Amino acid sequence: MTKLIVGNWKLNPATLNEAVALASAVSVSVKSELYEQMVLLPPFVFLEELAKKFRQIQWGAQDFFWEDKGAYTGEISLGMLKDIGVGWVLVGHSERRRMFGETDETVNKKVLAALSQDFKVIVAVGELQRDDGEEVIISSFKKSISGIKLQAPSSKLQDLIVAYEPVWAISTNPGAVADDPARSNGIIGQLKLAAYEMFGDESKSIRFLYGGSVNAANAAGSLAQPNIDGALVGGASLNSDEFLRIINTTASVS
Ligand code: PEP
């Protein structure tokens, strides 16, 4: 499986001009064969312009609402995203869970809606407290992805990507350091087992990423782990040189 690198820009940069400059710096330097291993998630309002200007880049939204239309002030639908050429969505990031009341139940509704509309869905799960045990992560994971129908001929699971992100490793949290790659490899192994119990052999097409303080210096250590199929990158995706070095790491570990 080739490695996937997702850049989550969060509430950055401040202006459309800066967003275009960042995308342009990535786009001029990324090797053409690596475009399909890279996804960028800018803020909603920049998406349309970026998707128009940089067609080779795979663009995604950091969130969305599961209904198609109606009285849902402030929300964005999957149809609107599709209309502007966006094919990827992130769901359940720990910042949305902690600060904006996202729950496993709402994450699950979003996962099912997005898969049914043929989006590629990155669902984030992980400890919200340092002492949350494996059971907490696995239970949240199972709830977040429950109810996915395995319909022949195409399994929806190839469109599902799971990002394991221990909240204490996310760079903006006080004292954050990247997780020990062997430890996250072990947790992802447990998540793969749980997915196998839910979906059998088809679960093998789900990709599992690690996220939390990934940078150019530590990416290879994490990407070389057998269970880790890629990285969800926050802070380091805002620096084009750093992000390109992470993308280039995939070539040496795939
Ligand atoms: C994230 O918040 O998804 C993330 C991984 O952030 P960082 O890389 O900055 O730790």
Side-chain angles (χ1 to χ4, degrees), residues 8 10 93-95 165 169-172 211-214 232-236:
N8 175 15
K10 307 190 185 188
H93 190 277
S94 60
E95 287 151 15
E165 297 207 305
I170 291 180
S171 65
T172 43
S213 296
V214 173
L232 178 54
V233 183

Side-chain angles (χ1 to χ4, degrees), residues 154-183:
S154 80
S155 163
K156 283 284 164 202
L157 296 182
Q158 66 211 14
D159 292 338
L160 183 66
I161 295 93
V162 175
Y164 167 59
E165 297 207 305
V167 74
W168 41 263
I170 291 180
S171 65
T172 43
N173 291 323
V177 277
D179 194 17
D180 171 10
R183 182 192 166 277

Side-chain angles (χ1 to χ4, degrees), residues 119-163:
F119 278 78
K120 304 251 188 227
V121 185
I122 305 153
V123 55
V125 295
E127 304 82 330
L128 293 184
Q129 317 286 341
R130 194 175 255 280
D131 54 1
D132 282 346
E134 268 174 38
E135 317 76 66
V136 173
I137 310 165
I138 289 171
S139 151
S140 166
F141 168 65
K142 285 181 169 170
K143 285 187 205 153
S144 298
I145 64 161
S146 77
I148 299 173
K149 302 265 182 307
L150 302 182
Q151 282 162 335
S154 80
S155 163
K156 283 284 164 202
L157 296 182
Q158 66 211 14
D159 292 338
L160 183 66
I161 295 93
V162 175

Side-chain angles (χ1 to χ4, degrees), residues 185-230:
N185 185 64
I187 299 279
I188 290 177
Q190 295 298 314
L191 294 174
K192 287 191 172 181
L193 200 60
Y196 185 79
E197 284 162 7
M198 292 172 85
F199 302 112
D201 275 344
E202 297 223 29
S203 68
K204 292 180 183 157
S205 50
I206 305 174
R207 281 169 287 177
F208 287 78
L209 317 182
Y210 163 74
S213 296
V214 173
N215 57 35
N218 64 23
S222 156
L223 294 174
Q225 297 291 323
N227 286 328
I228 299 183
D229 306 317

